[in-house]
């Protein structure tokens, strides 16, 4: 089972094709803008219900493995597409992170909680890292001529 935000959605088809070639089925559940965390959230009003339902479903009907994928850079660094942005992560009490250190702590707590729940139920968990984010777009400095 592939779980995560819109980045997980983008990965679903190519991964599913590779899994199918190996005789395996890859299902997925994703919600754009929502990291798969427990307690912490990238958008409480949008994500908390989905996070809770997804975790409950995985625990009630365990897959062989869960692959957690998603975009984390802006959540924990306050940096997106070459600009500084507000930290997009909240703790379980609804407090928004106000520093990189706090954002990383909120993310780590949420990811650890979900991984511990799944692995405690005997489910293998794989983590896929974020797509890299650059301070400047790599094409801003490249001159191409036809």
């Amino acid at each position: 089972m592939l779980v995560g935000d819109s980045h997980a959605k983008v990965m679903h088809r190519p991964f599913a094709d590779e899994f199918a070639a190996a005789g395996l089925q890859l299902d997925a559940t994703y919600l754009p803008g929502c990291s798969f965390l427990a307690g912490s959230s990238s958008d409480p009003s949008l994500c908390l219900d989905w996070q809770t339902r997804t975790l409950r479903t995985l625990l009630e009907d365990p897959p062989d493995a869960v692959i957690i994928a998603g975009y984390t850079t802006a959540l924990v660094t306050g940096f997106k597409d070459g600009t500084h942005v507000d930290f997009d992560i909240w703790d379980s009490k609804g407090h928004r992170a106000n520093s990189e250190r706090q954002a990383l702590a909120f993310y780590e707590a949420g990811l650890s909680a979900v991984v511990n729940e799944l692995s405690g139920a005997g489910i293998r968990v794989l983590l896929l890292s974020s797509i890299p984010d650059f301070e400047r777009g790599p094409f801003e400095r490249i001159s191409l001529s036809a």
Side-chain angles (χ1 to χ4, degrees):
M1 175 67 76
L2 175 64
V3 182
D5 60 12
S6 60
H7 291 240
K9 180 179 181 180
V10 169
M11 296 174 192
H12 182 214
R13 179 54 35 219
F15 275 49
D17 291 346
E18 288 299 316
F19 276 62
L24 302 169
Q25 179 178 335
L26 178 67
D27 294 318
T29 182
Y30 34 77
L31 184 61
C34 295
S35 297
F36 185 51
L37 307 170
S40 301
S41 181
S42 49
D43 183 343
S45 63
L46 175 66
C47 304
L48 281 177
D49 286 341
W50 173 79
Q51 291 169 314
T52 303
R53 278 184 284 115
T54 299
L55 182 57
R56 185 177 339 113
T57 299
L58 293 170
L59 293 172
E60 290 172 357
D61 186 17
D64 292 326
V66 172
I67 303 168
I68 301 173
Y71 179 70
T72 58
T73 304
L75 299 178
V76 299
T77 67
F79 177 79
K80 183 175 183 176
D81 299 327
T83 60
H84 291 281
V85 295
D86 290 334
F87 295 100
D88 281 334
I89 189 157
W90 286 256
D91 70 4
S92 61
K93 297 175 183 161
H95 300 112
R96 186 179 198 157
N98 59 21
S99 70
E100 187 172 337
R101 181 177 178 185
Q102 193 174 51
L104 186 56
F106 290 0
Y107 188 85
E108 184 177 1
L111 185 60
S112 293
V114 80
V115 168
N116 289 339
E117 285 277 343
L118 294 169
S119 60
I123 302 168
R124 288 180 288 168
V125 180
L126 300 120
L127 304 175
L128 288 180
S129 185
S130 258
I131 296 170
D133 209 338
F134 299 97
E135 187 172 332
R136 298 183 82 145
F139 300 114
E140 290 176 25
R141 295 186 177 191
I142 298 174
S143 175
L144 300 174
S145 58

